[in-house]
Amino acid sequence: MILEIDKNMEYGNEISSSPTFTSSSHLSNGFGSENHVMEIGPDPENLSLSKLSACLENLLVNQEYESYNDAEIVVEGNVVVGVNRCILAARSPYFHKLFQQQLEGGRKPRYEMSEMVRYGLVGHEAVKVMLQYLYTGRIKASPRDVSTCVDSNCCHVACGPLINYALELLFASATFQIKELVLLVQRHLLNIVEESLMEDVIPILVAAFHYHLNQLLSTCIERVAKSDLNNVCLEKELPPEVYGKIRSLRLELELVTTESDLVLEKQIQRIHKALDSDDVELLKLLLSESNVTLDEAYALHYAAAYCDPKIVNEVLSLGLADVDLKNRRGFTPLHVAARRKEPLVLVALLNKGACVAETTPDGRTAIDICRRLTRAKDYNENKKQGEPSNKDRLFIDVLETKMRSSESENVGVPSQEITYDLHMKLDYYENRVSFARLLYPAEAKVAMEIADADTNTCKVVLNESATAHTTRLHLRLLTLFKTGINHHLFRNSAVFSIN
């Protein structure tokens, strides 16, 4: 989806419905009874402005002009972007005020984007598009690698990466008081709110609230109020003022009904607060004193969305929660975890038998959810050996591996295989896993936990019979083999290819 300049805009908070003007004009000469139309050729003034725009663009795109930049902005990922203070100060009141500070020590001043933008992160690509507009007056097409997801079935009209990119552009343009760009992004978000998944409307609503975009805010509030998102989720993720408005609107629409429902809601809130405070003992006490169960409170869903991974493990260890229970929206805890993309939560659910093939009412699996939230840039990024891995790619790889695991679980080791061959195979897989831990620590940790390989160590047992010894070697080999399968993302390295 490409963000393009819409000329139906006027300055102000709301969007105008003024007529659209095209680049070619037609005038009537007024002679006779017929209207003779004369087409105007290229406007010299427009040509001059276009040339000026192209020249200023060199400061951004041409390395030969980098030395003329007199300041730097550090954006997400510690990427340094050179800027020209003269141009930015003339185009933005915010930068005009910021750059009034004198140059210290003859060095280029450096500004941290994270310190300037109060709400949300702004990536390198969004900063470059914003600077392009300030320098040239033109909007570049949305960079595809950060505005498209890796779901092959998505049309990329309202997927997670596109919304996040638009919000980054909004954060930057609103902070730096670039009103035309704010209006443009607001128009774009208004066009996609109705097509977005309900979960993706929440960050749009929060941004509209913080930056006082009243038209966008009212549209989002109306859609959320009529949705099936529960009040627990809304209270957790929305500013109190916004949640209060939605709550009142739902009461008016009679979406919150009887007094008994309110009593049940308070009991569920106590359970969720116990989870928030990491107090499992309090959780047990609340369960014993009320008629509300973990499943009725959707406690595992809540923990998967908001709590520390260790709390997810502790809730699962109680043995009182259905790991594949669907909430009122038809989501299992694994679906919820797919939106959060925390590997340790994923491991906890999978180790308790969570079904990867379960679908939401609209037919999406946990893999589909994760793919629709993952940028092409992140998924295709090649990390150097030993560097922290991208959680998005790791999450998708683990889920896809688990989906295929039914085929591999039946893979056994022939019983007639001699002990010598078992030791040879064990050495191979032990070495492979050791290399994995060294070169790909994040992936190795997740794979080892899923296969439970650390606990199934191959220790020497005295007075062990030959049959028991062979059986133990078989078990260890199968565990390591499963670990290797979970490391299928090592396909980029020949050392870890599975024969």
Side-chain angles (χ1 to χ4, degrees), residues 273-293:
K273 287 179 180 178
L275 292 171
D276 283 332
S277 60
D278 297 349
D279 195 338
V280 178
E281 293 304 317
L282 176 59
L283 174 65
K284 294 177 183 178
L285 180 62
L286 291 172
L287 292 173
S288 65
E289 292 182 348
S290 71
N291 296 324
V292 180
T293 66

Side-chain angles (χ1 to χ4, degrees), residues 22-40:
T22 58
S23 58
S24 60
S25 304
H26 293 82
L27 297 176
S28 171
N29 62 12
F31 292 109
S33 58
E34 297 181 359
N35 291 326
H36 299 279
V37 178
M38 176 180 65
E39 183 172 348
I40 304 298

Side-chain angles (χ1 to χ4, degrees), residues 41 50 53 65 78 93 139 173 270 282 391 400 405 469:
S50 179
S53 175
Y65 292 81
N78 205 31
I139 290 287
S173 56
R270 293 191 187 100
L282 176 59
K391 284 187 178 181
E400 288 180 340
S405 65
H469 179 66

